Structures are given as structure tokens and as C-alpha cells.
């Protein structure tokens, strides 16, 4: 390889690399640095220290928001898998092949509504006087208007709605690329429908579940809008706490420290998933 | 050289069946339709237990559909399927005394070889301690005793094929179904596995039903060949009979190279006579073909020297000669009629294009085909 | 031919019921959103008293909303074009030339995909503040290129396989210059992937909220404007805007689907005819 052609290759890659360095790597570095500084009153103390991280451990307020986030995210991930798997299975096994693409497209259509609007739509459904409340009053299941909005339940419903669609996609993709002969062979060897599913189909679709679950985890734990619109003020999730530091308190060092912690949690989840997938393949 | 054909009846007959054979499998007027497409049309077929049966035919002939009906993966539109005299038409695969070796083997990729082979026993509730020796015995039978702890992706294609066989045999099926089991193997391995399949079938004594489109494989392995075409049984019988005395033009062509002669077959006292452009030949048996028919003549049945029972065919001009190792193949033109003929000459033949050969045939080797 | 009677087994009925339930769950909020965008009165909750188009009229008459709409389109167009151009060049450079440290470069270029938008937004906000860069549509666009560049790069890089390289080599062999190879061979061959990458980037930018919220000031994009409207509570005009945005996204998806699968269908038809 000549020096000239290497230079030309660098010419192709340089714009993207510089962009990523300037607007992604540099901001992450600035944020990491900020997380070690402190805000005292309205001034920034540019001395490296672990004060913000200590505050995170010491103040139950911060730790609780992380725990809330983990609880909500795990609940959402598990519920979404449980709801999505049967739907993906029905799409792959019960729907005639030529209708499958259309059925799948329909199943993920609301995916394309605006993210902000999707949470707002759930507010219409769940709030006092909303669709569910009116329905329950009309059929006489309740005597007074009920509100499901402004609660963890509402946040979880909003999240599950989104991630059921995502997981349906990843699990369906896994199911359809599974050769039909596996299930046939299991039945041929004496397995009933349940045994075929437990021993053959489910283990072979674990990769699709894991990929979807990881995406769900990452997107869910970093999301601000859904809990902010649907969750109400009783409890805060980590992204809400971060936004609070930025918008209300202008405490960028603390917000940076919380963001670093959020990134660490996501990285841990990523490493765990990658290890699991690698172990499974070995 | 030619096997005498016992059954004189018209059309495909179950020639190798004897009355005292125990019943193996039976199709009774089985049809399978997918929408407007008929994959299998009114097939009736009975075979005694313990045979190695090969379903042979081109793709789309209905042989795999028939195998799927036997295995319980398809429910026939009409007709009845019996195994060992028992009606199994509506039984699911799990409840049938059959086991299948799939074309892609369908070994479970997340299980070890031992777990794969033991799967059928596990589904039947056999305890792990009781499973292990049976699994080991099955692996030994296919010559892979040391593969138990490995995963399918660590094995070669031929080894996977053997594991699939062991997995199906360990549940001791009455009928083993093999769907193009050797299709993915190279030629040498395929020939080797043919012998092995035959050996294993003798050892376990089960009925084997094997689907293939390779006529050499079929002849090498089968006790009985069933030729299928367009969803129907075209011909069935011993491999020798199917090859030497094919009953239809399709079977004659599918089983190997042949020369077709237009002929008029007429009854002549106790036997028949065929009048062709190459001469008049007595036939011992017309197998129901009379009037204007075609005669099939295999290239190796045309001799280039006179001999006992041989009648002269006239002279032919050699146009091309190719060497195949065990023999020479020649394309020639019959001098008097201009008819193209395919001949098989000996390994040491020194015939060249342009040579003239005097040809002879033993009329017993002529096979009249049904119109 | 006797038609086989279709027997509905209990398991099939159960499957149908489950699918119906899930589709209901998936479509419920969208249906409610669209229905009450045609509400006559001021509150988008039952009973429905429309249909009326007054909230759509209100939306189009809302100057701030229309400005946000134009801003959104502008930011999406420019940021996805930049993402596509940078992503294409980087993919071409890395797929066609052997560079020392190519593995690390690929990792860095795709890294933003695994980081929450909130963290990217915060990093940009703090950096812009520190450097004294004022927040505007430009800073939003920069942020959107950060999230869409890795996407475009990954899509295009995966499509520049060996077959494509062979054809480019043939073109070079026939005397084409590097620029001619790119413009006359690489780009036309990659057209479906380029199209898909651009539309996906456009959709993501169009829908992106948190970056647009944190690094904007006076000029905002549509999601941020909708967010501002939400503070005033339930409002049929928000329904109208939401339905309108859904319609646009939906048309984009259909266009993308047709562009990709329509081409494949046409090609398979041509293949069958040949």
C-alpha cells in the first residue's frame, strides 16, 4: 500500500472520524471531567474530586431513582417478552405466509407515531375521564372516575406498548429463520406441542429474545419522556433526576456524574448480554 | 442374466409380495391435494415388513409427499394409511411407529450429540440411566461412539447424517423414513453410506422407506423400487426387473440409457413377435403390450459379435467413442435405416469413429413398453 | 375435488383471540389519538362530539407550530444529508482501503449507537456551554448527525461487500478515475441502501426529542413544540398535530418499504421472466 493511497483513504474516513471525535468523544470527555467538579452555590469549582459520586451513594434521593429505573426497566423487559413472544409465534406459525409481512407491518405501525405523541396518547386513554375510565363507568364496573395516569403503572404500560412492538420484531425474525424441520423432528421423536416448544423452539429463539431484551433495557433505562408524561410526580426515574439537575438546578457536575452512572449500567448490561451470547455459541 | 418376472399381470403389480409376509405398510387409495394441485393421486401400495423400499422419481413426483403422509406430517385428502395392519391415517407423528431422517438432518444445534440421540427416549419418559446405554449402542452402530459429548456443528456432513440415523433408530421404529438422506453428501461418501444403510437395515430389521431421485442409489440399496411420477406409481418391483424390463417408456428412460425401437407386437402361437425396422424378434412375454409399441434396448445389450440366442441387427457406422473407465460408450448410426444407436463397448475395444460394426441382440433382453 | 373443511381447533381460536387482544392494545392509543383529533369540544376525552376539523384548522393557523414544522423538516433534511455523505465516505474508505487501526475506527464510528440520546444531548449541551456556542437549529442538526452518522455508516458499510468491490475493480481496470468509480459505479449500485439510510436518518431526526430539547433555544423542532403544548394539558390540537405527524411518518415508511421491497419484487419478477 502506497503512502498516497493511504492518505486518500484517510481523506475518506477523516470527516466522519473528526465529526465523531468533536461531537461525541469530546463531549463525553468533557462530561466525565465535569462529573469530577463541583457546583458550589452558583459557581463551578474546577477541582477534580469524587464529591458527586459520593453524593449519589449518600443521598437516598439519587440512589432511589436508579433503583426505580432498574425496577421499571426489568418489569418492562419481562412483561414485553411475555406479551411479545406469543404474538411473534402466532405471526410466524399461524398466519399464512403471504399475509405475514402485512400483519407484521400492522403490528409495528404505531412504532412510527412520534415518540412524544405516543406517551400523550396513553394519557388520553388512562387519565381520569379518559377512555378506560369512561368505559368502566359505562359498563358499571366502577362508580366513580378512575385515573391510571400519573403512576408507575402508567409508565410501565406506555413502555410495554412500545417494546412489545420491538420484541415482536426481533423474536419473529428469529422464529422465521428457524428451519421447520427442527419442530418436525421433535414431534417425530415423540414430543408433544408443549415439549417441542420447551426443548426445541424456545432454546433456539433465545438469541432473538436476548437481542430484543438488550435493546429494550438500553432504550427504556435512558428514556425521559415516558416517565415524565405518564409517571407523575410521586417517584422519579434516573433520566428524570438527571433532567432535574440540568433544568431546575443547573447542576451540570451532578447531572454529569449521574449520566456517567447511567452509562456504566448500560455498559454492564451490554457486557453481560455479549458474554451470554458468546457463551451460548461456544 | 435377466431376472425372470414372476407376476404376469398387467400394470404395476406387487411382484415381490408373498402371502405369508407380515404386513408392513399399506397405502389404500391415498390422495393429497394442495388447493388445485394434486401431489399424490389415488396411490395404493402394500409392502411386507422388513423391506428396504425406495421411492424413486423426479422432483415433483409425489414421493416426498407420500413420505410426509406416512410420517404423519401431512394428513391425506383421501384414503387410508396402515402400518402393521393398524390404521394410522389420523395419528400425529409423535404417536406413530415411524421415525424420520430429514434431508437437512434437523439435528438440534443447542444439544450435544448424546442429547440429540437420547431425545426420543427422553420424550418417552425413559430415565437418564436407562437412556445412556441405548444412546451409546446407537452411536456405536453408526460408528461414532466417541462423538457423544460434541455438538452438531463440530461434525462433518457425513457424520451428521449418521447421527440423524442413530437418533431415529434409537426409538426402535417399525418404519424408518429417509428423505433424500444422502443428497447433501459427495459421491464417494454417498456410495459408502448406501452400503452402511443396507447393513443397518439388515441388523435392525425395520422397514426402511427411502426417497431419492438417484436411480443408481435406488438400485444399489433397494429390496423394492417404487417409481413415482406425477403423483402416481409408474412402476414397482425388484431393482433388476425395473432396470432390465421397465414397463413404461418413462421408467426405461429414468433408470438409465436406452435405445427405443418402434415395433409392432403380435401374438404368435405360445409367444409374441415384434416387427421392427431392425428385424423380427420373438418375445417370450409382452407384459400386456400389444400392437404398436416401443421396445427398450439397453446399450450394453447390443453385442458386436454373434453368440448363442443372438440374432443379427445389421451393421452400424460408429460416429463417436468416449472412454468411461469400465467401458467405452459409442454413438453409432444403423446403416440400413439411419437409426441412431447407443452402444457400450468393452474396456479394451479399439473401435474408432468411422468403423463399421456388425450388431447382434438376444431377443430375451428386449423390453416391450406399454403404450 | 372435495374442499377440505377447515376445522377451527380451540388452540387456533385462542391464538386468534390473543392476537386480536394484542393488536387492540397496540392500536388503542393511536385510534384514540386520531379519533379525538376530530373532537368538536375543547377536551379530547369521551364522549366524542365530532367530527370536526376545527383543531386541524387551529394547528395550521398556529404560527409557532408551523415554524416548528418547517424547522423540523429543515433540520431533518440537512442533518440526514450530512450523515449520509459522511457515512458513505467513511464506509467507502474503510471498505476499499486497508487502514491501520480500521477495527478501532469502526468501533468509534458506531459507538454512539450504544449510548442513550440523553447522554449525547447532555454532553453536547455542556460542551457548547463551555465553548460559548449559542444553541440554535444548527446545534440540533449537529446532534442529529451524531446519532445518524453511525446508522448510515453501518448500513452502507454492510452493503459494500465483495461483489461490489469486484465491479468497482473492473471499472478501475477499464480506466475510470476514483471520482468516476464513486459517482458512476458505487453510488448507483448502492442506491437502495443509500435511500434506506437517508429515510431512516430523516425519520429519526424528525422524531428526536431530547437532543432537540436540550441544545435548542428559541427556534425549536416539532417534537419540542408538542412537548411545550403538553404543559397545557389535554388538548385536541395536540391530537391533531400528533395525527398529522403520524400520517407523515406513515407515508415515509410506506415510501421506504416500496423503495426497498418494491425494487426487490420487480427484480425477482425480471429474474423469473429471464
Amino acid at each position: 500500500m502506497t503512502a498516497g493511497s493511504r492518505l486518500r483513504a484517510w481523506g475518506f474516513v477523516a470527516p466522519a472520524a473528526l465529526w465523531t471525535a468533536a461531537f461525541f468523544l469530546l463531549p463525553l470527555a468533557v462530561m466525565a471531567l465535569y462529573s469530577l467538579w463541583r457546583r458550589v452555590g452558583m459557581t463551578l469549582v474546577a477541582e477534580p474530586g469524587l464529591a458527586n459520586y459520593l453524593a449519589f451513594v449518600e443521598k437516598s434521593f439519587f440512589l432511589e431513582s436508579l433503583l426505580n429505573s432498574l425496577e421499571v426497566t426489568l418489569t418492562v423487559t419481562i412483561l414485553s417478552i411475555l406479551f411479545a413472544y406469543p404474538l411473534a409465534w402466532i405471526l410466524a406459525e399461524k398466519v399464512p405466509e403471504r399475509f405475514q409481512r402485512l400483519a407484521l407491518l400492522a403490528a409495528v405501525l404505531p412504532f412510527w407515531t412520534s415518540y412524544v405523541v405516543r406517551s400523550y396518547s396513553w394519557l388520553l386513554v388512562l387519565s381520569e375521564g379518559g377512555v378506560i375510565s369512561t368505559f368502566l363507568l359505562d359498563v358499571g364496573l366502577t362508580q366513580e372516575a378512575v385515573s391510571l395516569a400519573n403512576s408507575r403503572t402508567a409508565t410501565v404500560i406506555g413502555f410495554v406498548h412500545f417494546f412489545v412492538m420491538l420484541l415482536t420484531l426481533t423474536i419473529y425474525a428469529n422464529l422465521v429463520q428457524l428451519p421447520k424441520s427442527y419442530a418436525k423432528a421433535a414431534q417425530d421423536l415423540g414430543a408433544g406441542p408443549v415439549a417441542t416448544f420447551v426443548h426445541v423452539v424456545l432454546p433456539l429463539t433465545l438469541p432473538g429474545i436476548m437481542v430484543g431484551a438488550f435493546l429494550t433495557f438500553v432504550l427504556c433505562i435512558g428514556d425521559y419522556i415516558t416517565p415524565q408524561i405518564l409517571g407523575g410526580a410521586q417517584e422519579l426515574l434516573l433520566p428524570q433526576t438527571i433532567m432535574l439537575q440540568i433544568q431546575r438546578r443547573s447542576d451540570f457536575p451532578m447531572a454529569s456524574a449521574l449520566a456517567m452512572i447511567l452509562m456504566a449500567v448500560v455498559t454492564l448490561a451490554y457486557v453481560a448480554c455479549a458474554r451470554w451470547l458468546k457463551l451460548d455459541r461456544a | 442374466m435377466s431376472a425372470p418376472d414372476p407376476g404376469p399381470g398387467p400394470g404395476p403389480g406387487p411382484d415381490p409380495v408373498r402371502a405369508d409376509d407380515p404386513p408392513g405398510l399399506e397405502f389404500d387409495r391415498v390422495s393429497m391435494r394442495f388447493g388445485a394441485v394434486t401431489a399424490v393421486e389415488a396411490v395404493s401400495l402394500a409392502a411386507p415388513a422388513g423391506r428396504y423400499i425406495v421411492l424413486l422419481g423426479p422432483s415433483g413426483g409425489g414421493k416426498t409427499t407420500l413420505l410426509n403422509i406416512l410420517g404423519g406430517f401431512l394428513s391425506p385428502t383421501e384414503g387410508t394409511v396402515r402400518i402393521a395392519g393398524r390404521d394410522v391415517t389420523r395419528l400425529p407423528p409423535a404417536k406413530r411407529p415411524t421415525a424420520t431422517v430429514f434431508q437437512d438432518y434437523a439435528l438440534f444445534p443447542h444439544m450435544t450429540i448424546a442429547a440429540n440421540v437420547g431425545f426420543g427416549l427422553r420424550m418417552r419418559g425413559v430415565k437418564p440411566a436407562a437412556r445412556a446405554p441405548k444412546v451409546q449402542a446407537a452411536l456405536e452402530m453408526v460408528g461414532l461412539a466417541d462423538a457423544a459429548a460434541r455438538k452438531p456443528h463440530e461434525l462433518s456432513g457425513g457424520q451428521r447424517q449418521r447421527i440423524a440415523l442413530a437418533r431415529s433408530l434409537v426409538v426402535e421404529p417399525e418404519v424408518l423414513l429417509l428423505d433424500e438422506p444422502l443428497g447433501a453428501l459427495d459421491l464417494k461418501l454417498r456410495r459408502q453410506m448406501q452400503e452402511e444403510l443396507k447393513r443397518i437395515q439388515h441388523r435392525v430389521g425395520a422397514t426402511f422407506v427411502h426417497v431419492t431421485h438417484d436411480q443408481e442409489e435406488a438400485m444399489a440399496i433397494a429390496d423394492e423400487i417404487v417409481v413415482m411420477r406425477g403423483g402416481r406409481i409408474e412402476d414397482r418391483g425388484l431393482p433388476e426387473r425395473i432396470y432390465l424390463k421397465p414397463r413404461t417408456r418413462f421408467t426405461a428412460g429414468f433408470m438409465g440409457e436406452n435405445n427405443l425401437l418402434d415395433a409392432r407386437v403380435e401374438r404368435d402361437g405360445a409367444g409374441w413377435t415384434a416387427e421392427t425396422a431392425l428385424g423380427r424378434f420373438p418375445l417370450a412375454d409382452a407384459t400386456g403390450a400389444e400392437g404398436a409399441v416401443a421396445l427398450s434396448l439397453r446399450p450394453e445389450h447390443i453385442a458386436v459379435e454373434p453368440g448363442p440366442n443372438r440374432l443379427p441387427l445389421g451393421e452400424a457406422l460408429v460416429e463417436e467413442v468416449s472412454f468411461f473407465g469400465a467401458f467405452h460408450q459409442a454413438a453409432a448410426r444403423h446403416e440400413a435405416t439411419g437409426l441412431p444407436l447407443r452402444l457400450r463397448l468393452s474396456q479394451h475395444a479399439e473401435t474408432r469413429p468411422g468403423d463399421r460394426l456388425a450388431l447382434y441382440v438376444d431377443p430375451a433382453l428386449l423390453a416391450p413398453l406399454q403404450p | 375435488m372435495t374442499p377440505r373443511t377447515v376445522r377451527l381447533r380451540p388452540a387456533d381460536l385462542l391464538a386468534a383471540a390473543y392476537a386480536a387482544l394484542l393488536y387492540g392494545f397496540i392500536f388503542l392509543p393511536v385510534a384514540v389519538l386520531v379519533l379525538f383529533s376530530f373532537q368538536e369540544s375543547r377536551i379530547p376525552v369521551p364522549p366524542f362530539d365530532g367530527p370536526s376539523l376545527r383543531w386541524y384548522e387551529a394547528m395550521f393557523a398556529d404560527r409557532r407550530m408551523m415554524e416548528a414544522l418547517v424547522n423540523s423538516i429543515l433540520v431533518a433534511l440537512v442533518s440526514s444529508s450530512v450523515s449520509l455523505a459522511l457515512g458513505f465516505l467513511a464506509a467507502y474508505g474503510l471498505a476499499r482501503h486497508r487502514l491501520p487501526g480500521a477495527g478501532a475506527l469502526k468501533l468509534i464510528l458506531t459507538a454512539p449507537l450504544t449510548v442513550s440520546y440523553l447522554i449525547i444531548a447532555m454532553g453536547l449541551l455542556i460542551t457548547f456551554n463551555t465553548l460559548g456556542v449559542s444553541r440554535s437549529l444548527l446545534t440540533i442538526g449537529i446532534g442529529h448527525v451524531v446519532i445518524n452518522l453511525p446508522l448510515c455508516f453501518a448500513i452502507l458499510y454492510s452493503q459494500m461487500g465483495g461483489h461490489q468491490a469486484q465491479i468497482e475493480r473492473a471499472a478501475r481496470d477499464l480506466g475510470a478515475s476514483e471520482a468516476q468509480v464513486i459517482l458512476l459505479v458505487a453510488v448507483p449500485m448502492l442506491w437502495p441502501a443509500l435511500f434506506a439510510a437517508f429515510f431512516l436518518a430523516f425519520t429519526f431526526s424528525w422524531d428526536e426529542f431530547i437532543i432537540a430539547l436540550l441544545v435548542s433555544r428559541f427556534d425549536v423542532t416539532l417534537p419540542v413544540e408538542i412537548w411545550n403544548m403538553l404543559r397545557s394539558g389535554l388538548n385536541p390540537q395536540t391530537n391533531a398535530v400528533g395525527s398529522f405527524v403520524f400520517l407523515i411518518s406513515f407515508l415515509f415508511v410506506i415510501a421506504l418499504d416500496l423503495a426497498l421491497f418494491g425494487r426487490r419484487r420487480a427484480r425477482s419478477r425480471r429474474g423469473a421472466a429471464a
Side-chain angles (χ1 to χ4, degrees):
Chain A
M1 180 165 192
T2 63
S5 85
R6 184 175 297 173
L7 201 66
R8 202 163 52 205
W10 274 114
F12 285 118
V13 184
L18 288 177
W19 192 285
T20 308
F23 300 116
F24 175 69
L25 295 180
L26 175 70
L28 283 188
V30 170
M31 202 162 61
L33 190 66
Y34 255 77
S35 76
L36 298 174
W37 293 355
R38 260 178 317 133
R39 193 202 62 163
V40 178
M42 274 295 135
T43 54
L44 210 58
V45 180
E47 283 168 16
L50 290 174
N52 297 319
Y53 293 96
L54 285 174
F56 173 77
V57 186
E58 280 162 6
K59 289 189 188 166
S60 60
F61 170 72
F62 293 127
L63 208 54
E64 256 167 38
S65 72
L66 174 65
L67 289 180
N68 287 340
S69 268
L70 286 174
E71 276 172 27
V72 166
T73 302
L74 287 177
T75 312
V76 165
T77 307
I78 291 166
L79 284 179
S80 302
I81 292 171
L82 291 180
F83 284 129
Y85 201 108
L87 184 63
W89 186 84
I90 289 166
L91 284 174
E93 300 290 330
K94 293 281 173 186
V95 175
E97 214 160 312
R98 62 204 155 112
F99 296 126
Q100 279 185 15
R101 231 173 68 79
L102 193 70
L104 194 69
L105 208 66
V108 298
L109 199 60
F111 214 73
W112 303 105
T113 48
S114 157
Y115 204 94
V116 179
V117 173
R118 198 163 35 237
S119 295
Y120 167 77
S121 309
W122 273 110
L123 211 54
L124 297 176
V125 175
L126 298 174
S127 64
E128 194 175 334
V131 175
I132 287 191
S133 167
T134 309
F135 174 77
L136 291 179
L137 277 173
D138 285 355
V139 298
L141 274 173
T142 159
Q143 302 309 316
E144 45 195 291
V146 289
S147 171
L148 291 167
N150 301 322
S151 65
R152 184 185 277 199
T153 310
T155 306
V156 169
I157 289 175
F159 272 136
V160 167
H161 177 245
F162 183 70
F163 292 115
V164 157
M165 296 189 269
L166 187 79
L167 276 155
T168 301
L169 277 177
T170 64
I171 297 170
Y172 170 85
N174 197 159
L175 274 170
V176 290
Q177 56 91 31
L178 215 60
K180 293 259 185 280
S181 58
Y182 288 147
K184 274 172 83 175
Q187 286 165 25
D188 189 54
L189 292 167
V194 176
T196 302
F197 180 76
V198 171
H199 294 295
V200 177
V201 177
L202 185 61
L204 291 175
T205 44
L206 272 183
I209 297 176
M210 286 302 282
V211 168
F214 172 69
L215 281 173
T216 303
F217 186 91
V218 171
L219 293 174
C220 185
I221 204 163
D223 185 48
Y224 165 69
I225 301 168
T226 307
Q228 186 67 14
I229 293 179
L230 292 170
Q234 287 141 17
E235 61 174 22
L236 293 184
L237 302 190
L238 190 55
Q240 291 173 287
T241 313
I242 294 175
M243 287 297 281
L244 205 64
Q245 303 306 312
I246 299 174
Q247 292 185 310
R248 292 275 166 78
R249 309 192 56 228
S250 296
D251 188 344
F252 288 114
M254 190 64 220
S256 299
L258 293 174
M260 298 314 283
I261 288 163
L262 176 59
M263 223 163 93
V265 171
V266 170
T267 309
L268 273 178
Y270 176 76
V271 170
C273 276
R275 254 187 86 150
W276 184 88
L277 281 175
K278 207 175 283 172
L279 278 179
D280 184 58
R281 229 167 273 161
Chain B
M1 179 172 186
S2 101
D5 201 347
D15 28 8
V17 181
R18 283 182 301 273
D20 55 346
D21 282 326
L25 55 96
E26 189 184 350
F27 289 95
D28 190 5
R29 293 189 308 279
V30 168
S31 294
M32 186 75 221
R33 281 184 276 272
F34 301 101
V37 181
T38 303
V40 169
E41 173 118 51
V43 164
S44 291
L45 175 71
R51 291 295 166 90
Y52 202 122
I53 296 159
V54 172
L55 300 180
L56 175 68
S59 51
K63 51 195 194 317
T64 297
T65 307
L66 209 57
L67 199 74
N68 277 325
I69 289 173
L70 194 54
F73 302 113
L74 287 174
S75 189
T77 320
E78 284 158 29
T80 311
V81 183
R82 291 185 200 92
I83 293 173
R86 192 158 67 104
D87 185 346
V88 297
T89 316
R90 302 290 159 200
L91 282 187
K95 299 251 163 71
R96 293 189 184 212
T98 58
T100 305
V101 175
F102 291 88
Q103 194 172 0
D104 61 359
Y105 314 144
L107 297 180
F108 305 129
H110 58 296
M111 296 182 195
T112 62
I113 297 306
N116 263 288
V117 176
F119 187 82
L121 296 172
R122 189 172 160 204
M123 290 302 115
R124 284 163 175 73
V126 180
K127 295 274 177 298
R131 279 204 305 259
K134 290 192 175 186
V135 168
Q136 202 52 35
L139 287 174
E140 267 160 30
M141 179 157 63
V142 298
L144 284 168
D146 53 351
R150 287 197 265 170
K151 288 265 187 101
H153 67 90
E154 297 170 53
L155 302 184
S156 71
Q159 288 173 324
R160 274 182 239 178
Q161 213 280 326
R162 287 158 190 262
I163 297 301
L165 194 62
R167 184 176 70 174
S168 298
L169 286 173
V170 84
V171 299
E172 295 169 8
E174 285 175 45
V175 182
L176 185 75
L177 310 176
L178 303 111
D179 186 6
E180 303 258 6
L182 310 180
L185 306 181
D186 63 47
L187 190 65
K188 207 173 150 195
L189 204 53
R190 206 184 308 168
R191 299 294 173 241
Q192 188 190 329
M193 277 308 293
Q194 286 168 11
E195 288 169 25
E196 190 127 344
L197 280 173
K198 189 123 188 163
R199 177 180 68 76
I200 289 170
Q201 193 257 341
H202 277 301
R203 201 168 138 189
V204 300
T207 306
F208 277 33
V209 182
H210 177 133
V211 160
T212 183
H213 57 261
D214 177 348
Q215 87 282 1
E216 283 185 37
E217 181 177 310
M219 286 189 283
I221 213 167
D223 292 328
E224 183 182 352
I225 292 178
V226 178
V227 181
M228 294 205 62
R229 178 202 185 197
R232 295 167 182 274
I233 295 180
E234 181 87 7
D235 204 350
R236 59 176 294 214
L238 299 172
E240 290 85 350
R241 211 281 285 143
I242 300 276
Y243 182 79
L244 292 169
K245 286 290 170 75
R247 288 206 170 101
T248 67
R249 199 179 270 254
F250 173 81
T251 309
F254 196 78
M255 295 304 293
E257 283 197 282
N258 69 339
N259 296 293
L260 288 174
L261 300 177
D262 287 326
R264 236 199 123 66
V265 173
E266 269 156 13
R267 190 167 267 282
D268 178 16
W272 286 267
T273 308
E275 183 79 53
T276 77
L278 305 187
R280 250 174 97 84
F281 305 102
L283 298 177
D285 175 16
T287 57
E290 266 183 83
V293 297
L295 299 180
S296 166
L297 183 55
R298 299 274 175 214
E300 67 269 28
H301 291 158
I302 301 179
V304 291
E305 51 213 37
N309 300 332
R310 283 182 187 164
L311 298 177
L313 281 177
E315 288 202 336
L317 185 69
V318 175
E319 295 180 332
E320 257 181 61
V321 181
S322 331
F323 183 51
F324 277 74
F327 56 87
H328 280 90
Q329 178 94 3
R333 197 165 286 280
H334 191 254
E335 292 255 279
T337 61
L339 223 60
L341 290 174
R342 263 181 274 184
L343 316 175
R344 200 156 281 191
L345 307 172
S346 80
Q347 200 173 33
H348 301 291
E350 290 180 2
T351 309
R352 296 277 169 272
D355 290 356
R356 240 177 216 92
L357 294 173
L359 307 178
Y360 303 87
V361 69
D362 176 354
L365 297 170
L366 289 166
L369 305 175
Q370 282 163 8
Chain C
M1 168 177 155
T2 49
R4 246 199 319 173
T5 48
V6 181
R7 284 186 308 148
L8 269 183
R9 287 173 303 166
D12 290 332
L13 285 176
L14 199 67
Y18 184 84
L21 204 68
L22 261 265
Y23 273 91
F25 172 64
I26 287 169
F27 276 97
L28 176 64
V30 181
V32 170
L33 176 81
V34 175
L35 176 68
F36 287 102
S37 72
F38 298 107
Q39 182 82 323
E40 171 67 39
S41 58
R42 304 197 135 269
I43 304 177
V45 293
F48 179 64
D49 56 10
S52 151
L53 288 176
R54 65 177 277 210
W55 299 109
Y56 284 92
E57 282 164 26
M59 169 183 83
F60 286 114
D62 184 335
R63 204 175 50 80
R64 286 187 55 86
M65 190 63 79
M66 286 302 110
E67 272 174 19
L69 177 70
V70 172
N71 289 344
S72 264
I73 293 172
L74 199 68
V75 168
L77 269 180
V78 173
S79 75
S80 31
S81 302
V82 173
S83 305
L84 190 70
L86 295 185
F88 173 78
L89 289 177
Y92 187 81
L94 281 169
R96 294 291 171 265
H97 300 272
R98 238 174 304 150
L99 277 175
L105 262 176
K106 270 180 260 177
L107 203 68
I108 289 169
L109 285 178
T110 48
L113 286 176
T114 60
V115 176
S116 300
Y117 285 3
L118 173 61
I119 293 172
I120 293 174
M122 258 190 64
L124 284 171
L125 172 64
I126 294 175
T127 309
F128 289 144
N129 274 354
T130 309
L131 299 177
V133 178
S134 62
R135 289 171 284 159
S136 64
L137 289 183
L138 180 70
T139 50
I140 300 177
I142 288 174
H144 285 182
V145 174
V146 171
I147 60 168
N148 282 328
L149 170 57
L151 196 73
C152 292
F153 169 75
I155 291 175
L156 295 172
Y157 185 78
S158 72
Q159 294 298 311
M160 289 189 185
H163 173 64
Q164 171 111 11
Q166 291 282 326
I167 291 174
E168 288 168 20
R169 205 166 299 145
R172 220 165 276 138
D173 204 41
L174 294 167
S177 69
E178 184 94 36
Q180 283 170 318
V181 168
I182 291 176
L183 288 177
L184 300 178
V185 181
V187 169
M189 278 188 71
L190 279 174
W191 156 243
L194 287 164
F195 194 77
F198 179 82
F199 271 70
L200 220 54
F202 189 98
T203 321
F204 280 16
S205 167
W206 168 255
D207 197 22
E208 201 288 320
F209 166 73
I210 195 81
I211 297 175
L213 176 74
L214 285 184
V215 301
S216 65
R217 193 145 201 180
F218 304 113
D219 291 324
V220 297
T221 58
L222 199 55
V224 179
E225 183 58 31
I226 295 173
W227 174 258
N228 290 335
M229 272 183 76
L230 286 189
R231 296 191 178 164
S232 58
L234 303 183
N235 178 349
Q237 195 187 321
T238 311
N239 290 49
V241 181
S243 306
F244 181 69
V245 171
F246 177 50
L247 180 71
I248 291 179
S249 303
F250 177 65
L251 291 178
F252 261 93
V253 175
I254 297 293
L256 183 66
D257 190 70
L258 284 178
L260 296 181
F261 291 95
R263 268 176 80 90
R264 201 174 296 163
R265 266 197 292 276
R267 197 177 303 156
S268 67
R269 260 206 302 280
R270 270 204 304 280

